[in-house]
Amino acid sequence: MKLLTLARDLSRRKAREKHSLFIAEGVRSVEELVRSGLKVRGALVAPQLATAPRGQALRATFDESGIDVLDVSEKDFRSAAQTESPQGVLAIGEVPVRSVDTLEVGAVCRLLVLDGVQDPGNVGTILRTAAALGATATVALPGTVDLWNPKVIRSSMGAQFTHQAFHAGHEELIAFLGREKIVLWATAANGQPLDPASAPGRLAIAVGNEGAGLSTEVADRAQQTVSLPIAGNVESLNVAVATAIFLYELRR
Amino acid sequence: MKLLTLARDLSRRKAREKHSLFIAEGVRSVEELVRSGLKVRGALVAPQLATAPRGQALRATFDESGIDVLDVSEKDFRSAAQTESPQGVLAIGEVPVRSVDTLEVGAVCRLLVLDGVQDPGNVGTILRTAAALGATATVALPGTVDLWNPKVIRSSMGAQFTHQAFHAGHEELIAFLGREKIVLWATAANGQPLDPASAPGRLAIAVGNEGAGLSTEVADRAQQTVSLPIAGNVESLNVAVATAIFLYELRR
């Protein structure tokens, strides 16, 4: 498939899953993608890249790295771009092969489980935070937005290019946790107050859907449900904020 | 001024500042506004409110509370609404009179200072978090987005209706901190690792602009600059995430 047609197609989740490809858009995301070492299938470049900050350097990097570049008109670029004021560059990357089977777990680990978190901006922020705070991996259960959605990538600043983030089914995850003797904690507003000192070495922590909370699979399997103490007149914390506090408090 | 004209006008920051009024839009925000006890100048209602969840109950609340209601067509409502799929209700609230002069400070306080934080979604999330984690107040310095911006209110879920959040000038804040013997800590990537145990009873903590960091006024006045330890390959945390972790770690 031609690069332009492929790039347009990859705006749909089904197409991303079928091809195992995703789009990184904008100078910064594409720089991160090239730096990450993930395989790059090709790049689309529109004339305005020449005037974008670091645009010419990025173009040179494509040539040095042997990355296929297709020069397109601004109009064609817009037909594939997701942002409102595109910088004139996007790259098609290969989704890395990751699963519970490729995950290496040491004596101490912090696994983050996204149990149906739907907002792409929140999930992107969570991935960026998980990478920054040294989480071992992030596992997205069914109902979670596609980790390779362009809005997630924008909001994560490409954290998933290197952070071990991937999708998995409930049973797959739960079997893995059992096999590796990883304790699962759930988070919910009505849980016990978080006590980081009581956390085991190998821990997975699950955060639920913004409205509906946790799936029954996760709630049934969790050894403990923990919560953050918050003021009575505030209903809840934003899911990315709550996740950040949990990961910080439980970091090793 | 008629309610509809006023509501349209209040989409501009200058108009909000001139009238000391703001707009809460959508069922949930308006419910929060009415519950907060802030003065409500009036409400606009479009036909679709009758079919929105809790819409009719809200309409009844207006009548019970003696709030002026103007029924408008869907088209007129859209001309004043900020959201893409409006629920057919908005209310005009009076910005509460708050300043360093109205702020009561106990032996222990946690003041959050927003030093030029520009993104409305981030500032809304920060206000919601500050309220949830029991911060004493949030002071917005010049360069920060209007705390009464509709996007900020949406993202905060109306936390600023009751949380003591207000705008102040650099000199005003710094004189207040001196008078009240409140220690100012700045936050920056190159600061000392945060040690919550060393925090004084009366503490203000400043977070800076997403790109440019702290103003010189704040940087010069801060007794200490603190940072969160993050992985070397990640540039930074999102400002709302970093602020949440600081507030949680420093909560009393």
Side-chain angles (χ1 to χ4, degrees):
Chain A
M1 201 185 291
K2 296 244 176 75
L3 277 179
L4 180 59
T5 317
L6 185 61
R8 284 180 188 143
D9 203 31
L10 293 173
S11 64
R12 297 181 305 115
R13 181 173 187 163
K14 286 209 167 163
R16 290 194 296 273
E17 287 173 350
K18 178 181 155 202
H19 298 291
S20 279
L21 294 173
F22 67 91
I23 299 250
E25 191 180 319
V27 173
R28 179 168 178 158
S29 282
V30 175
E31 284 174 348
E32 290 291 336
L33 174 59
V34 173
R35 196 175 302 143
S36 73
L38 293 187
K39 282 190 189 158
V40 179
R41 188 67 65 88
L44 290 191
V45 167
Q48 68 261 40
L49 180 62
T51 58
R54 306 196 303 278
Q56 292 184 325
L58 181 56
R59 176 75 202 228
T61 305
F62 289 148
D63 297 338
E64 288 158 21
S65 315
I67 292 169
D68 267 354
V69 176
L70 179 69
D71 286 290
V72 295
S73 69
E74 188 174 341
K75 192 180 160 206
D76 275 347
F77 189 85
R78 280 187 187 276
S79 73
Q82 301 282 324
T83 53
E84 285 180 23
S85 41
Q87 294 176 298
V89 65
L90 66 78
I92 298 171
E94 296 187 11
V95 174
V97 178
R98 295 175 187 154
S99 73
V100 293
D101 298 323
T102 65
L103 194 60
E104 287 183 32
V105 178
V108 171
C109 77
R110 291 294 180 260
L111 224 65
L112 176 63
V113 177
L114 305 181
D115 188 11
V117 184
Q118 292 181 320
D119 182 81
N122 281 336
V123 169
T125 301
I126 288 171
L127 292 172
R128 180 177 167 195
T129 306
L133 296 179
T136 314
T138 298
V139 182
L141 292 179
T144 300
V145 65
D146 178 20
L147 298 175
W148 302 94
N149 173 308
K151 284 185 191 162
V152 175
I153 293 175
R154 211 145 56 233
S155 167
S156 73
M157 296 186 167
Q160 64 275 64
F161 300 162
T162 49
H163 175 63
Q164 294 293 311
F166 55 87
H167 291 269
H170 290 107
E171 289 179 17
E172 189 185 353
L173 174 69
I174 285 168
F176 171 75
L177 297 179
R179 214 157 57 225
E180 295 288 345
K181 299 188 172 49
I182 299 171
V183 172
L184 175 65
W185 283 6
T187 64
N190 61 357
Q192 305 166 47
L194 174 68
D195 171 20
S198 70
R202 289 185 160 192
L203 177 67
I205 183 136
V207 296
N209 176 278
E210 293 93 336
L214 296 159
S215 63
T216 51
E217 289 91 338
V218 165
D220 289 352
R221 180 63 171 71
Q223 276 91 333
Q224 201 184 138
T225 302
V226 295
S227 72
L228 297 172
I230 63 170
N233 59 338
V234 177
E235 202 168 295
S236 64
L237 292 167
N238 167 285
V239 63
V241 159
T243 304
I245 295 173
F246 281 117
L247 289 176
Y248 187 83
E249 288 285 311
L250 294 166
R251 77 194 184 283
R252 285 294 177 95
Chain B
M1 200 185 291
K2 297 242 175 74
L3 277 179
L4 180 60
T5 318
L6 185 60
R8 284 180 188 143
D9 204 30
L10 292 174
S11 66
R12 296 180 308 113
R13 181 173 186 162
K14 285 209 167 163
R16 290 193 296 272
E17 289 173 349
K18 179 181 155 202
H19 297 291
S20 279
L21 294 173
F22 67 91
I23 301 249
E25 190 180 319
V27 172
R28 178 167 180 160
S29 283
V30 175
E31 284 174 347
E32 291 290 336
L33 175 58
V34 173
R35 196 175 301 144
S36 74
L38 293 187
K39 284 191 187 155
V40 179
R41 188 66 66 86
L44 290 190
V45 168
Q48 68 260 41
L49 179 62
T51 57
R54 307 195 303 277
Q56 293 186 325
L58 181 57
R59 176 74 202 228
T61 306
F62 290 149
D63 297 337
E64 288 158 22
S65 315
I67 292 170
D68 267 354
V69 177
L70 180 68
D71 286 291
V72 296
S73 68
E74 188 176 339
K75 192 180 160 205
D76 275 347
F77 190 85
R78 280 188 186 274
S79 72
Q82 301 282 321
T83 52
E84 284 180 25
S85 41
Q87 295 175 296
V89 64
L90 66 78
I92 298 172
E94 295 187 11
V95 174
V97 178
R98 296 174 187 155
S99 73
V100 293
D101 298 323
T102 65
L103 194 60
E104 286 182 34
V105 179
V108 171
C109 77
R110 292 293 181 261
L111 224 64
L112 176 63
V113 177
L114 304 182
D115 189 11
V117 184
Q118 293 180 319
D119 181 79
N122 281 336
V123 169
T125 302
I126 288 171
L127 292 172
R128 180 178 167 196
T129 308
L133 297 180
T136 314
T138 298
V139 182
L141 293 178
T144 301
V145 66
D146 177 20
L147 297 176
W148 303 95
N149 173 307
K151 284 185 194 163
V152 175
I153 292 176
R154 208 144 58 231
S155 166
S156 73
M157 297 187 166
Q160 64 274 62
F161 300 162
T162 49
H163 175 63
Q164 295 292 312
F166 55 87
H167 291 269
H170 290 107
E171 289 178 17
E172 189 185 354
L173 173 69
I174 285 167
F176 170 76
L177 297 179
R179 214 156 58 226
E180 296 286 345
K181 298 190 173 47
I182 300 171
V183 171
L184 176 64
W185 283 6
T187 64
N190 61 359
Q192 305 167 46
L194 174 68
D195 172 19
S198 71
R202 289 185 158 192
L203 176 67
I205 183 135
V207 296
N209 176 278
E210 292 92 335
L214 297 158
S215 63
T216 51
E217 290 91 336
V218 166
D220 288 353
R221 179 64 171 69
Q223 275 93 332
Q224 202 183 136
T225 302
V226 294
S227 72
L228 297 172
I230 62 171
N233 59 337
V234 177
E235 203 169 293
S236 64
L237 291 168
N238 167 285
V239 63
V241 159
T243 303
I245 296 173
F246 281 118
L247 288 176
Y248 187 84
E249 289 286 311
L250 293 166
R251 78 194 184 285
R252 285 294 177 95

PDB file of all heavy atoms in Angstrom, chain A residues 4 8 46-48 72-81:
ATOM      1  N   LEU A   4       0.821   7.245   1.511  1.00  0.00           N
ATOM      2  CA  LEU A   4      -0.244   8.209   1.796  1.00  0.00           C
ATOM      3  C   LEU A   4      -1.560   7.498   2.126  1.00  0.00           C
ATOM      4  O   LEU A   4      -2.235   7.832   3.106  1.00  0.00           O
ATOM      5  CB  LEU A   4      -0.424   9.169   0.610  1.00  0.00           C
ATOM      6  CG  LEU A   4      -1.519  10.235   0.778  1.00  0.00           C
ATOM      7  CD1 LEU A   4      -1.262  11.121   1.977  1.00  0.00           C
ATOM      8  CD2 LEU A   4      -1.627  11.093  -0.497  1.00  0.00           C
ATOM      9  N   ARG A   8      -3.537   7.474   5.808  1.00  0.00           N
ATOM     10  CA  ARG A   8      -4.950   7.830   5.986  1.00  0.00           C
ATOM     11  C   ARG A   8      -5.692   6.698   6.691  1.00  0.00           C
ATOM     12  O   ARG A   8      -6.478   6.910   7.596  1.00  0.00           O
ATOM     13  CB  ARG A   8      -5.606   8.076   4.623  1.00  0.00           C
ATOM     14  CG  ARG A   8      -5.248   9.407   4.007  1.00  0.00           C
ATOM     15  CD  ARG A   8      -5.956   9.534   2.647  1.00  0.00           C
ATOM     16  NE  ARG A   8      -5.494  10.715   1.946  1.00  0.00           N
ATOM     17  CZ  ARG A   8      -5.301  10.785   0.638  1.00  0.00           C
ATOM     18  NH1 ARG A   8      -5.538   9.728  -0.128  1.00  0.00           N
ATOM     19  NH2 ARG A   8      -4.873  11.906   0.085  1.00  0.00           N
ATOM     20  N   ALA A  46       5.393  17.375   4.229  1.00  0.00           N
ATOM     21  CA  ALA A  46       4.769  18.448   3.459  1.00  0.00           C
ATOM     22  C   ALA A  46       5.716  19.647   3.443  1.00  0.00           C
ATOM     23  O   ALA A  46       6.625  19.734   4.283  1.00  0.00           O
ATOM     24  CB  ALA A  46       3.426  18.823   4.086  1.00  0.00           C
ATOM     25  N   PRO A  47       5.516  20.582   2.494  1.00  0.00           N
ATOM     26  CA  PRO A  47       6.481  21.686   2.341  1.00  0.00           C
ATOM     27  C   PRO A  47       6.733  22.465   3.636  1.00  0.00           C
ATOM     28  O   PRO A  47       7.856  22.912   3.879  1.00  0.00           O
ATOM     29  CB  PRO A  47       5.803  22.585   1.291  1.00  0.00           C
ATOM     30  CG  PRO A  47       4.918  21.669   0.511  1.00  0.00           C
ATOM     31  CD  PRO A  47       4.466  20.615   1.459  1.00  0.00           C
ATOM     32  N   GLN A  48       5.688  22.625   4.498  1.00  0.00           N
ATOM     33  CA  GLN A  48       5.884  23.476   5.679  1.00  0.00           C
ATOM     34  C   GLN A  48       6.902  22.912   6.677  1.00  0.00           C
ATOM     35  O   GLN A  48       7.328  23.641   7.575  1.00  0.00           O
ATOM     36  CB  GLN A  48       4.546  23.783   6.380  1.00  0.00           C
ATOM     37  CG  GLN A  48       3.858  22.599   7.044  1.00  0.00           C
ATOM     38  CD  GLN A  48       2.757  22.021   6.187  1.00  0.00           C
ATOM     39  OE1 GLN A  48       2.895  21.911   4.977  1.00  0.00           O
ATOM     40  NE2 GLN A  48       1.660  21.615   6.803  1.00  0.00           N
ATOM     41  N   VAL A  72       4.647  15.198  -0.058  1.00  0.00           N
ATOM     42  CA  VAL A  72       3.256  15.395  -0.480  1.00  0.00           C
ATOM     43  C   VAL A  72       2.892  16.870  -0.366  1.00  0.00           C
ATOM     44  O   VAL A  72       3.585  17.649   0.299  1.00  0.00           O
ATOM     45  CB  VAL A  72       2.275  14.555   0.378  1.00  0.00           C
ATOM     46  CG1 VAL A  72       2.511  13.067   0.174  1.00  0.00           C
ATOM     47  CG2 VAL A  72       2.381  14.934   1.849  1.00  0.00           C
ATOM     48  N   SER A  73       1.796  17.242  -1.026  1.00  0.00           N
ATOM     49  CA  SER A  73       1.311  18.620  -0.933  1.00  0.00           C
ATOM     50  C   SER A  73       0.724  18.839   0.454  1.00  0.00           C
ATOM     51  O   SER A  73       0.399  17.893   1.174  1.00  0.00           O
ATOM     52  CB  SER A  73       0.229  18.850  -1.978  1.00  0.00           C
ATOM     53  OG  SER A  73      -0.915  18.102  -1.633  1.00  0.00           O
ATOM     54  N   GLU A  74       0.554  20.119   0.822  1.00  0.00           N
ATOM     55  CA  GLU A  74      -0.037  20.422   2.120  1.00  0.00           C
ATOM     56  C   GLU A  74      -1.437  19.812   2.210  1.00  0.00           C
ATOM     57  O   GLU A  74      -1.832  19.295   3.248  1.00  0.00           O
ATOM     58  CB  GLU A  74      -0.104  21.938   2.323  1.00  0.00           C
ATOM     59  CG  GLU A  74      -0.533  22.276   3.729  1.00  0.00           C
ATOM     60  CD  GLU A  74      -0.479  23.765   4.033  1.00  0.00           C
ATOM     61  OE1 GLU A  74       0.223  24.501   3.308  1.00  0.00           O
ATOM     62  OE2 GLU A  74      -1.154  24.179   4.984  1.00  0.00           O
ATOM     63  N   LYS A  75      -2.164  19.853   1.087  1.00  0.00           N
ATOM     64  CA  LYS A  75      -3.533  19.324   1.082  1.00  0.00           C
ATOM     65  C   LYS A  75      -3.543  17.809   1.322  1.00  0.00           C
ATOM     66  O   LYS A  75      -4.327  17.310   2.141  1.00  0.00           O
ATOM     67  CB  LYS A  75      -4.197  19.646  -0.271  1.00  0.00           C
ATOM     68  CG  LYS A  75      -5.677  19.404  -0.275  1.00  0.00           C
ATOM     69  CD  LYS A  75      -6.288  19.733  -1.640  1.00  0.00           C
ATOM     70  CE  LYS A  75      -7.633  19.042  -1.777  1.00  0.00           C
ATOM     71  NZ  LYS A  75      -7.978  18.786  -3.176  1.00  0.00           N
ATOM     72  N   ASP A  76      -2.661  17.089   0.649  1.00  0.00           N
ATOM     73  CA  ASP A  76      -2.590  15.644   0.856  1.00  0.00           C
ATOM     74  C   ASP A  76      -2.162  15.336   2.289  1.00  0.00           C
ATOM     75  O   ASP A  76      -2.665  14.396   2.911  1.00  0.00           O
ATOM     76  CB  ASP A  76      -1.606  15.003  -0.135  1.00  0.00           C
ATOM     77  CG  ASP A  76      -2.275  14.701  -1.477  1.00  0.00           C
ATOM     78  OD1 ASP A  76      -3.518  14.752  -1.536  1.00  0.00           O
ATOM     79  OD2 ASP A  76      -1.549  14.429  -2.452  1.00  0.00           O
ATOM     80  N   PHE A  77      -1.224  16.142   2.791  1.00  0.00           N
ATOM     81  CA  PHE A  77      -0.773  15.914   4.168  1.00  0.00           C
ATOM     82  C   PHE A  77      -1.943  16.038   5.139  1.00  0.00           C
ATOM     83  O   PHE A  77      -2.143  15.196   6.012  1.00  0.00           O
ATOM     84  CB  PHE A  77       0.344  16.890   4.551  1.00  0.00           C
ATOM     85  CG  PHE A  77       0.977  16.534   5.866  1.00  0.00           C
ATOM     86  CD1 PHE A  77       2.007  15.609   5.929  1.00  0.00           C
ATOM     87  CD2 PHE A  77       0.506  17.081   7.053  1.00  0.00           C
ATOM     88  CE1 PHE A  77       2.570  15.236   7.144  1.00  0.00           C
ATOM     89  CE2 PHE A  77       1.049  16.715   8.273  1.00  0.00           C
ATOM     90  CZ  PHE A  77       2.090  15.788   8.315  1.00  0.00           C
ATOM     91  N   ARG A  78      -2.728  17.091   4.942  1.00  0.00           N
ATOM     92  CA  ARG A  78      -3.879  17.314   5.831  1.00  0.00           C
ATOM     93  C   ARG A  78      -4.870  16.160   5.801  1.00  0.00           C
ATOM     94  O   ARG A  78      -5.546  15.886   6.788  1.00  0.00           O
ATOM     95  CB  ARG A  78      -4.620  18.601   5.443  1.00  0.00           C
ATOM     96  CG  ARG A  78      -3.954  19.848   5.975  1.00  0.00           C
ATOM     97  CD  ARG A  78      -4.801  21.089   5.716  1.00  0.00           C
ATOM     98  NE  ARG A  78      -4.051  22.271   6.099  1.00  0.00           N
ATOM     99  CZ  ARG A  78      -3.997  22.734   7.356  1.00  0.00           C
ATOM    100  NH1 ARG A  78      -4.666  22.144   8.309  1.00  0.00           N
ATOM    101  NH2 ARG A  78      -3.270  23.789   7.635  1.00  0.00           N
ATOM    102  N   SER A  79      -4.956  15.479   4.659  1.00  0.00           N
ATOM    103  CA  SER A  79      -5.918  14.381   4.540  1.00  0.00           C
ATOM    104  C   SER A  79      -5.508  13.194   5.411  1.00  0.00           C
ATOM    105  O   SER A  79      -6.331  12.339   5.739  1.00  0.00           O
ATOM    106  CB  SER A  79      -6.047  13.940   3.082  1.00  0.00           C
ATOM    107  OG  SER A  79      -4.886  13.235   2.673  1.00  0.00           O
ATOM    108  N   ALA A  80      -4.241  13.140   5.797  1.00  0.00           N
ATOM    109  CA  ALA A  80      -3.773  12.035   6.646  1.00  0.00           C
ATOM    110  C   ALA A  80      -3.485  12.502   8.069  1.00  0.00           C
ATOM    111  O   ALA A  80      -3.418  11.694   8.985  1.00  0.00           O
ATOM    112  CB  ALA A  80      -2.508  11.418   6.045  1.00  0.00           C
ATOM    113  N   ALA A  81      -3.324  13.823   8.258  1.00  0.00           N
ATOM    114  CA  ALA A  81      -2.926  14.347   9.567  1.00  0.00           C
ATOM    115  C   ALA A  81      -4.109  14.388  10.526  1.00  0.00           C
ATOM    116  O   ALA A  81      -5.261  14.476  10.111  1.00  0.00           O
ATOM    117  CB  ALA A  81      -2.339  15.743   9.404  1.00  0.00           C
TER     118      ALA A  81
END
